[in-house]
Amino acid sequence: MPTVSIPALGLQLQAEPDENLLKVLRRHRVPIGWSCKRGECGSCKCVLERGEVDLRGYQPGALPASQREQGIILACSSRIVGDVQLGLVDTDDYIEHPLRSLACRVLWLRELAPEVFALRLRIVADLAEGAEDAGGAAGGTADGTADGAASAGGPFMFSAGQYAHLRVRDARGEWIGRDFSMAGTPVEAEYDGELEFHIRRTPTGSFSGLLGGAIAAGTELRLEGPMGKAYFRPRHEGPLYAVAAGTGLGPMLSVVQTALDNGKTDPVVLYAGFRNVSEVYGVDRMEQLARRHANFRAHVVVEFDAPGGLRGGRVGDALFADVKDLRDAKVYLAGSPAMVEAVSAELLTRGLASRDVHADAFYAPAPEALSAEQAGGARG
Ligand SMILES: Cc1cc2nc3c(=O)[nH]c(=O)nc-3n(C[C@H](O)[C@H](O)[C@H](O)COP(=O)(O)OP(=O)(O)OC[C@H]3O[C@@H](n4cnc5c(N)ncnc54)[C@H](O)[C@@H]3O)c2cc1C
Ligand code: FES
């Protein structure tokens, strides 16, 4: 029986001949990232230090030839042909929190700027398998307190920068779900059982249009998460830049606050971009962080109508005007796909390695995903 050894983790795993390597690693709960499971995303990279695997059927973009020459393989596209020794590329990149399904209740909804809301939730119950149709708080207390919340699976854990899928019943009783990034810190979730999201309301939006109507204090929501790979890497040493467009500020505040709370002493710089001055929010929290941490700076950048005293232009241009040397830096980005894609591409052009660009674009769900959800009433 072939053996998969991972000296960095002190593991010796048994595998079946011809078994898929990712399957072996997941069966033994090795902390490796994965997403597509078909050689397209590159999430499941590891280093083949000794031995051979049968590696095939992947996209060249997921594993460039230069990386393959350095011994990097994709676990999902590798079959076991004998004993192998593996190294993880960077264990910081493989933080994995268990995916949870929770019942939450809205504590409050607060308007941060016109059509931008902070939605604060309290976790009221861990939805055990099959409890979905039980209704009510599925075990939460009548007043929505966190007593026993998430007790079955322990506290809800995520890494700053991750997101969750929120679902609510609309007026017709159908589940409507969208992805939203956590704007609070992992500590608040773990110790207080509370989660915050910053959401732009589109009055005609299927989910966001319910804010202030079907979604108000006391409303019960379902949450699945955490998800996402653009999370804070705590072992990184070097400058941290966080770039936000609109409500992308939520996860970026979570990232910079977590970095500073963790005692990061390198420069931590936040670029908060907005289209118009009326959309600006979060300044109090940025000022509070700047008062507490000498290594933190925040730049509010307004694209179209910046008054005197505020920086005008596009948020990415502000970053590139200020930062000429990206050596040792990591850049986190969140918000509109246009900003995230353009700034990420420019960072790579300027020589920043893709492993140092952690981006989450707020893509709208594809129409087929919406119809599947509405037909099925729940997300996979
Ligand atoms: C990983 C991730 C994290 C996110 N985090 C946040 C967050 O923290 N805060 C936040 O405000 N948003 C976030 N989003 C976006 C959010 O999930 C919703 O897409 C957004 O709120 C729109 O939902 P809605 O209910 O307002 O409108 P929808 O009903 O989804 O429609 C929004 C608008 O877009 C149009 N539209 C819908 N689908 C399409 C399509 N496929 N192509 C073109 N047009 C379309 C509609 O006509 C409408 O005008 C995130 C998205 C992702 C993927
Ligand atoms: S999981 Fe996507 S490439 Fe392996």
Side-chain angles (χ1 to χ4, degrees), residues 163 178-181 198-200 205-208 247 362-363 365:
Y163 66 93
R178 291 289 181 277
D179 296 332
F180 296 102
S181 308
H198 295 170
I199 303 180
R200 162 164 295 286
S206 315
F207 185 102
S208 74
T247 48
F362 290 180
Y363 293 107

Side-chain angles (χ1 to χ4, degrees), residues 23 33 62 76 81 137 140 147 166 168 200 206 216 301 339 363 366 368-369 376:
K23 186 175 166 200
C76 72
V81 294
D147 291 352
L166 297 185
V168 68
R200 162 164 295 286
S206 315
V301 186
M339 183 285 281
Y363 293 107
E368 60 272 18

Side-chain angles (χ1 to χ4, degrees), residues 241-245 271 273 314-321 326 331-334 336-353 356-359 361:
Y241 300 102
V243 187
Y271 288 85
R314 290 190 301 187
V315 68
D317 294 339
L319 169 77
F320 293 119
L326 288 162
V331 182
Y332 297 82
L333 305 112
S336 71
M339 183 285 281
V340 169
E341 287 169 11
V343 177
S344 299
E346 182 61 22
L347 286 165
L348 299 181
T349 303
R350 290 176 185 235
L352 195 64
D356 293 320
V357 180
H358 306 288

Side-chain angles (χ1 to χ4, degrees), residues 252-293:
M252 293 300 95
L253 279 169
S254 180
V255 164
V256 297
Q257 185 168 346
T258 302
L260 295 166
D261 288 350
N262 275 18
K264 189 170 176 65
T265 52
D266 302 294
V268 175
V269 189
L270 173 62
Y271 288 85
F274 301 93
R275 276 172 308 178
N276 300 104
V277 70
S278 62
E279 296 176 359
V280 174
Y281 76 92
V283 174
D284 288 355
R285 195 162 153 199
M286 292 182 235
E287 286 177 350
Q288 200 179 49
L289 287 172
R291 276 195 299 275
R292 284 196 201 143
H293 303 276

Side-chain angles (χ1 to χ4, degrees), residues 95-235:
I95 294 166
E96 217 178 84
H97 303 297
L99 189 70
R100 305 285 293 279
S101 182
L102 304 171
C104 300
R105 185 161 294 148
V106 177
L107 274 181
W108 46 255
L109 186 66
R110 211 167 272 164
E111 197 163 23
L112 300 168
E115 300 303 330
V116 176
F117 290 84
L119 176 70
R120 185 92 178 171
L121 305 182
R122 174 162 290 169
I123 300 167
V124 293
D126 195 341
L127 293 173
E129 207 153 84
E132 181 75 15
D133 298 327
T141 58
D143 64 355
T145 55
D147 291 352
S151 55
F156 179 67
M157 315 273 275
F158 71 95
S159 290
Q162 287 194 292
Y163 66 93
H165 188 71
L166 297 185
R167 288 190 292 132
V168 68
R169 282 196 195 275
D170 68 7
R172 291 169 302 166
E174 285 179 10
W175 286 109
I176 300 290
R178 291 289 181 277
D179 296 332
F180 296 102
S181 308
M182 275 69 85
T185 63
V187 174
E188 292 166 6
E190 187 178 344
Y191 291 95
D192 305 335
E194 293 186 10
L195 295 161
E196 191 168 316
F197 300 86
H198 295 170
I199 303 180
R200 162 164 295 286
R201 180 171 67 182
T202 306
T204 53
S206 315
F207 185 102
S208 74
L210 302 176
L211 291 169
I215 304 175
T219 304
E220 193 180 314
L221 285 90
R222 298 288 193 255
L223 178 149
E224 282 166 33
M227 293 175 256
K229 307 287 292 175
Y231 48 74
F232 170 58
R233 268 63 174 176
R235 292 194 305 140

